């Protein structure tokens, strides 16, 4: 399961003094995690070009209903996968991903690529919550991130 | 920390020179979106306090010991382990109040004894439950979630833009 790395200052074209940069990136990372979880909690993809997550099968819906009161396709059954979702600051980049053991990574990849243990994606079952190479986060997320980063723009 | 206040002066630099009307509209709009956003985050199991992320999960029941929410199944059959949304009967979250106190101050939190007690229980992790505070204690360096802060800035910018349009 690949993580998504990007340089927010470069992509959003923001200049932040070196002395504020670390703090700014940490604030952006905190926001990004919240925003991604918020989108997922509503059953929506945080990735540009993807809308609502496709629905669960009848069988899975009934299994999920035993442990979750949410009717949204929120990628939360035991909650372990989303508990392991994190955003790390690595150098000048933010790294969004699921950080955990093979089982969690498998679950994350299954949802993100729509494979669910199969060699190829199952049509209509992609629940993209971490962008792949060449993809972007939703504009609304980037806009808010820009607002947050701009707060660190001056010494 | 059952209740607290946000000092909007730090955000209000943007519209310091705008009219009283713009500031009044901004504080009303912020109060309304603040309540919605806090409740929306909690309903998805996300803390409205910056950096806290998702609420810690409920501890699992064991053969020897039943734990929440299994202990309340008979009275609340619809309660599930997920999301960890601080909602059982709904009375606690309905007690959350947010209102503009003055042009610069928005007060929010729990003002009833019931709400204060439950908020304290969540904050301190009463009865061996995990700590799940929801009202930030600004005096201890806690802050509202970044997405809420971004919403506040957005509301202020919107109020400023509306004021500029009006004055044209």
């Amino acid at each position: 399961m690949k993580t998504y790395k990007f340089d927010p200052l470069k992509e959003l074209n923001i200049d932040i003094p070196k002395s504020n940069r670390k703090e700014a990136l940490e604030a952006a990372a905190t926001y990004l995690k919240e925003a991604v979880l918020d989108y997922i909690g509503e059953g929506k993809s945080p990735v540009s070009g993807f809308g609502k997550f496709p629905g669960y099968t009848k069988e899975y819906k009934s299994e999920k209903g035993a442990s979750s009161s949410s009717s949204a396709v929120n990628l939360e059954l035991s909650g372990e996968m989303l508990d392991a979702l994190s955003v790390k600051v690595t150098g000048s980049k933010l790294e969004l991903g699921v950080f955990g053991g093979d089982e969690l990574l498998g679950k994350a990849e299954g949802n993100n690529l729509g494979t669910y243990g199969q060699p190829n994606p199952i049509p209509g079952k992609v629940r993209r919550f971490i962008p792949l190479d060449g993809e972007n986060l939703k504009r609304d997320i980037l806009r808010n991130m820009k607002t947050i980063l701009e707060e660190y723009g001056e010494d | 920390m059952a209740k607290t206040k946000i000092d909007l002066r730090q955000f209000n630099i943007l519209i310091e020179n705008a009219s009283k009307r713009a500031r009044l509209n901004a504080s009303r709009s912020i109060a309304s979106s603040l309540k919605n956003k806090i409740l929306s985050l909690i309903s998805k199991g996300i803390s409205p306090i910056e950096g806290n992320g998702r609420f810690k999960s409920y501890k699992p029941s064991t053969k020897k010991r039943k734990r929440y929410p299994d202990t309340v199944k008979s009275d609340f059959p619809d309660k599930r382990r997920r999301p960890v949304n601080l909602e059982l009967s709904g009375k606690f979250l309905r007690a959350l109040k947010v209102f503009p106190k003055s042009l610069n101050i928005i007060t929010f939190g729990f003002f009833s004894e019931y709400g204060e007690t439950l908020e304290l229980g969540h904050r301190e992790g009463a009865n061996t439950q995990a700590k799940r505070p929801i009202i930030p204690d600004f005096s201890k360096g806690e802050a509202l979630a970044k997405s809420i802060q971004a919403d506040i800035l957005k509301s202020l910018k919107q109020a400023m833009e509306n004021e500029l349009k009006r004055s044209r």
Side-chain angles (χ1 to χ4, degrees), chain B residues 58-99:
Chain B
Y58 304 122
K59 291 172 190 160
S61 295
T62 59
K63 276 183 187 168
K64 283 185 181 169
R65 190 177 164 194
K66 253 192 193 180
R67 287 202 166 102
Y68 185 88
D70 296 329
T71 48
V72 296
K73 268 275 180 289
S74 53
D75 291 328
F76 298 94
D78 292 336
K79 179 65 186 168
R80 298 285 186 272
R81 294 187 59 76
R82 293 287 177 172
V84 181
N85 57 6
L86 313 189
E87 185 170 10
L88 187 60
S89 69
K91 190 177 166 188
F92 172 56
L93 293 178
R94 278 198 301 275
L96 175 73
K97 305 283 178 221
V98 182
F99 52 88

Side-chain angles (χ1 to χ4, degrees), chain A residues 6 27-47 53 82 85 87 96 129 137-145 148, chain B residues 37 40-41 44 46-47 51 53-54 145-148 150-151 154:
Chain A
F6 74 113
T30 304
Y31 166 71
L32 180 57
K33 182 178 167 180
E34 281 169 22
V36 168
L37 287 173
D38 199 6
Y39 265 88
I40 296 171
E42 276 181 26
K44 294 191 289 195
S45 171
V47 180
F53 291 137
L82 293 182
L85 185 137
V87 181
L96 165 68
F129 66 105
L137 291 158
K138 284 245 156 70
R139 204 177 296 169
D140 180 55
I141 296 178
L142 294 175
R143 205 182 299 132
N144 281 342
M145 192 184 291
I148 288 164
Chain B
K37 187 75 183 178
S40 165
L41 288 174
K44 294 170 218 160
I46 305 169
S47 171
R54 277 158 58 83
K146 285 277 177 222
S147 52
I148 300 178
D151 273 6
K154 218 188 283 177

Side-chain angles (χ1 to χ4, degrees), chain A residues 97-109:
Chain A
V98 170
F99 300 91
D102 288 347
E103 199 188 327
L104 284 182
L105 296 182
K107 275 187 196 176
E109 188 171 87

